[in-house]
Amino acid sequence: MEYANIILFFAFLALGYGVGTYLEKRHYRDIEAREKAYLNIPIVTMEETVGYEQEVASANLVSGSVVISIDYFKRILSGLQMFVGGRVTAYETLVDRARREAILRMIENSHGADIIENVRVETSAIGQSANRKQAVGSVEALAYGTAIKLR
Amino acid sequence: MQLTNLQTIPGKDIVEHFGLVSGSTVRAKHVGKDIMAGFKNMVGGELKGYTELLNEARDEATARMIQAASAMGANAVVNVRFSTSSVAQGASEIYVYGTAVRVE
C-alpha cells in the first residue's frame, strides 16, 4: 500500500507529460496558423486615430479571454525550477499561450474590424491557487481594445 | 450605448461629461465545473468552464455599467477599463469602469 501513492504520482507525472505536451504543441500550431491569418489587421497599443478620423464607420469595445491551466508534470517541474532559481520555463509557455490566445479571440470577436486600437492585455491568477502567489495553477488572460471599422 | 477604450469616440464630438461609471460582480466557480477543472489540471490546457464563467461575469459587469451610464443620460462610455481580482479562494471579482459621456 505504501507504494500506491508513489505509483499514482508517477502515473500522473507521465499522463501530464504525455498528454500535456501533445496538447500544448497542438495549441501552438493552432495559434500560429490563426496569427498568420490575421496578420493584415493592425493591432496597436496607441490611443489616437491618426489620419483616418473622418473615415471611421464604427468604434466598439471588443474583448477576448481565456483561462489556461498548467499540467501536472510542469507543476512539479516548476517547483524544481523555482528551487534552483533562474528561468521557470514551465510557466513561460503557459502565460505565452494564454496571452496569444486571448489576443486572437479578441480579433475574432471584432468581426472584420480594420484596426484594433489601444489594446490592453492583462493577466490574473485564478482557480484554486487564487491567493497563493507561489502556486500559480491557472492564469486568465484578457485582451481588450477598440475595434474600428472604416467606411 | 457605444463603448470604447479610447479618449474619444472617433468621428464624433463629446458634448457632455457625466463622470465615472462602473459595474462589478463577484462570481464563484460552480462545483460541477470545478470537478471538470480538477481533471483538466492534470493534463493542462484551456479550462472552458472558467473561461465562460469569467466571460459571463464580464458581460454582467458591463451591463451594470451601461445601466448606470444610461440612468445619467449618457449615450456612450469612453476609456473603459477592465480589472479582475481574486477576493477569496475560488471567487473572482470583475470590475469595469469608464467615463460616461454624451456624444453627437
Side-chain angles (χ1 to χ4, degrees):
Chain A
M1 279 313 284
E2 285 162 26
Y3 298 113
N5 279 336
I6 299 168
I7 291 165
L8 211 59
F9 172 75
F10 281 107
F12 281 150
L13 211 59
L15 182 77
Y17 182 73
V19 183
T21 309
Y22 168 73
L23 287 177
E24 185 179 292
K25 278 190 180 142
R26 199 177 67 175
H27 191 202
Y28 264 122
R29 273 201 299 275
D30 184 46
I31 287 176
E32 273 156 19
R34 282 152 74 206
E35 275 178 349
K36 228 170 243 172
Y38 296 124
L39 268 180
N40 58 334
I41 304 170
I43 308 293
V44 296
T45 52
M46 290 174 295
E47 281 194 22
E48 305 88 24
T49 49
V50 184
Y52 50 85
E53 289 91 342
Q54 303 309 314
E55 299 165 39
V56 173
S58 75
N60 281 306
L61 192 73
V62 285
S63 65
S65 75
V66 67
V67 178
I68 289 189
S69 160
I70 199 167
D71 64 56
Y72 195 75
F73 174 76
K74 286 200 168 178
R75 198 164 296 151
I76 303 297
L77 178 70
S78 69
L80 292 174
Q81 285 180 329
M82 272 190 253
F83 183 71
V84 178
R87 271 183 81 175
V88 185
T89 48
Y91 284 142
E92 283 181 353
T93 53
L94 176 77
V95 284
D96 181 51
R97 278 163 77 191
R99 290 214 184 94
R100 285 162 77 176
E101 178 70 34
I103 292 170
L104 284 168
R105 286 189 186 181
M106 176 187 72
I107 300 171
E108 280 157 9
N109 287 340
S110 71
H111 302 296
D114 294 295
I115 182 166
I116 303 181
E117 280 186 354
N118 199 12
V119 173
R120 295 279 177 271
V121 182
E122 66 168 61
T123 322
S124 55
I126 68 144
Q128 288 154 329
S129 50
N131 283 331
R132 287 179 288 145
K133 284 273 191 302
Q134 71 271 28
V136 184
S138 47
V139 289
E140 192 216 7
L142 165 70
Y144 61 100
T146 302
I148 307 252
K149 281 184 190 166
L150 302 177
R151 280 197 195 98
Chain B
M1 186 67 62
Q2 209 173 358
L3 305 178
T4 71
N5 70 340
L6 306 174
Q7 306 278 358
T8 56
I9 299 225
K12 290 182 178 172
D13 291 320
I14 293 174
V15 291
E16 201 175 351
H17 276 277
F18 295 98
L20 187 77
V21 282
S22 63
S24 77
T25 180
V26 179
R27 289 285 176 105
K29 55 196 183 187
H30 190 268
V31 179
K33 281 176 182 167
D34 202 31
I35 292 167
M36 279 308 292
F39 283 126
K40 211 61 205 281
N41 265 331
M42 283 289 130
V43 293
E46 186 185 352
L47 306 177
K48 286 210 174 67
Y50 284 1
T51 307
E52 274 167 32
L53 182 85
L54 288 166
N55 276 340
E56 278 166 23
R58 205 163 285 123
D59 287 346
E60 192 180 322
T62 310
R64 286 183 185 170
M65 181 183 73
I66 289 172
Q67 207 176 14
S70 44
M72 289 173 172
N75 63 0
V77 182
V78 295
N79 223 340
V80 175
R81 297 271 181 271
F82 287 106
S83 92
T84 313
S85 55
S86 354
V87 286
Q89 222 176 40
S92 292
E93 193 218 8
I94 309 282
Y95 184 56
V96 186
Y97 58 104
T99 305
V101 294
R102 196 156 59 79
V103 293
E104 270 171 13

